[in-house]
Amino acid sequence: MSDLKVIKIAKVKELTALSAPSIYRLMKKGTFPKQIKLAERSSAWFLGEINDWIETKRNIRDGSES
């Protein structure tokens, strides 16, 4: 069930150490998980997808691209 936990932009920024503009720029390029709309003016990201993105970055760093 933790794969379905959603987090807001502040937590995404905290976990990734990226700025909001950087996150949206990477999303536009298709290299960062896209957010979901929760309501008209509320969006969030799946925690599992953010964790997977971070894990992929570690794998690339360690030379074991997946």
Side-chain angles (χ1 to χ4, degrees), residues 2-55:
S2 65
D3 287 347
L4 297 179
K5 181 174 182 175
V6 293
I7 55 174
K8 303 291 277 182
I9 187 70
K11 187 67 172 177
V12 175
K13 289 169 35 180
E14 178 185 331
L15 290 172
T16 63
L18 295 171
S19 67
S22 292
I23 290 167
Y24 289 109
R25 187 170 37 255
L26 291 172
M27 283 175 40
K28 188 173 182 178
K29 287 175 51 180
T31 60
F32 193 83
K34 293 182 179 177
Q35 81 260 32
I36 59 167
K37 289 295 264 180
L38 301 174
E40 185 177 329
R41 297 183 62 168
S42 181
S43 297
W45 285 256
F46 286 111
L47 177 59
E49 291 180 356
I50 300 303
N51 287 335
D52 290 346
W53 182 85
I54 294 168
E55 182 68 25

